[in-house]
Amino acid sequence: MQISDRITNANDLFGRSKYVYQNQQYESGFIFDYWACGPSSKDSNGEKFDGAYPAGFLKRFRYAFKSIFDNNPSILHVCAGRIPKTEGMTLDLNPKYNPDFLMNAENFHLNQGMEKYHNYFDIVLSDSPYNEEASKKYYGVHLLNKRKMLLGMIACTKVGGIIGVLDQSMPTQIGLKNIKTVAKVAVSSVPNKDLRIFSVYQKIFTSEKYL
């Protein structure tokens, strides 16, 4: 390539002024977005916990859904890991971080004592292991059934509440008529080169028939 073939004027570069942002053009209100986050940080003891949310993820979530947080919502984190209790109630299989609910995330809503938490939380989020390798590494068990986890999350969410699933794939919504998909957010976490998907749903009515 010759010198004369180079772009030397910044105005000739394809930038924001020329790009059409598609997430602003859906009349249905459906949300597409992208959140750039950092690597997993360390806990209060200085220990790294690789299975945690990417650094900055919860801050971005609070900002994006700030209208919900204005009302001091009740929150449950499923497969919570080291999530601090200041972020809400926690459910996890590992007792290391003293979760509020020490149990498997599969169909957790069916466990004894969980009946009072049906249709209880304004927000239910999950960051479960993404694959078999990660599940064995962090929990020493086989990968959980994501469908069963989602059923529990829906059951424990209020009508109008938000369900958010961070994973490498998008949960199937087949047969789940009491939730509506409201957002798909691509999430990066440096130095990882892959993207995760944050799928967000809203519970639109209560019915055990669809669980």
Side-chain angles (χ1 to χ4, degrees), residues 187-201:
V187 180
S188 63
S189 174
V190 295
N192 295 337
K193 297 179 180 180
D194 58 336
L195 287 176
R196 307 173 206 186
I197 300 294
F198 183 46
S199 302
V200 184
Y201 309 91

Side-chain angles (χ1 to χ4, degrees), residues 18-86:
K18 301 176 183 178
Y19 181 78
V20 178
Y21 286 88
Q22 297 184 45
N23 62 346
Q24 297 179 359
Q25 297 185 5
Y26 289 90
E27 295 181 1
S28 65
F30 191 84
I31 301 163
F32 283 109
D33 206 350
Y34 164 66
W35 299 349
C37 299
S40 300
S41 54
K42 297 179 180 180
D43 63 17
S44 58
N45 297 319
E47 296 182 28
K48 186 176 180 181
F49 189 85
D50 294 330
Y53 285 115
F57 175 85
L58 289 178
K59 182 178 180 180
R60 285 184 172 272
F61 175 73
R62 285 179 173 273
Y63 182 76
F65 292 86
K66 59 183 179 181
S67 61
I68 300 176
F69 283 91
D70 288 342
N71 298 316
N72 191 28
S74 53
I75 305 172
L76 174 65
H77 291 273
V78 179
C79 295
R82 62 171 182 80
I83 294 294
K85 299 302 177 64
T86 54

Side-chain angles (χ1 to χ4, degrees), residues 78-183:
V78 179
C79 295
R82 62 171 182 80
I83 294 294
K85 299 302 177 64
T86 54
E87 295 288 350
M89 300 187 78
T90 56
L91 183 150
D92 202 271
L93 185 62
N94 190 334
K96 180 177 181 180
Y97 291 101
N98 190 31
D100 295 292
F101 306 104
L102 181 61
M103 59 183 66
N104 193 307
E106 290 187 6
N107 287 329
F108 63 87
H109 65 298
L110 301 178
N111 288 5
Q112 185 176 6
M114 290 301 293
E115 296 88 354
K116 64 181 179 180
Y117 292 104
H118 288 195
N119 303 296
Y120 181 89
F121 295 98
D122 296 295
I123 300 172
V124 180
L125 303 179
S126 70
D127 184 23
S128 62
Y130 304 141
N131 49 54
E132 182 75 12
E133 181 182 357
S135 186
K136 288 288 186 66
K137 178 179 179 181
Y138 301 130
Y139 290 96
V141 296
H142 288 293
L143 184 66
L144 61 81
N145 186 310
K146 306 291 183 71
R147 174 79 171 190
K148 291 181 178 179
M149 178 186 71
L150 181 59
L151 296 182
M153 295 173 69
I154 296 170
C156 291
T157 303
K158 294 178 181 178
V159 171
I162 293 296
I163 300 124
V165 178
L166 182 63
D167 208 329
Q168 288 180 334
S169 60
M170 295 179 287
T172 176
Q173 197 180 329
I174 297 175
L176 303 179
K177 298 180 181 180
N178 57 344
I179 60 172
K180 179 178 177 59
T181 308
V182 297

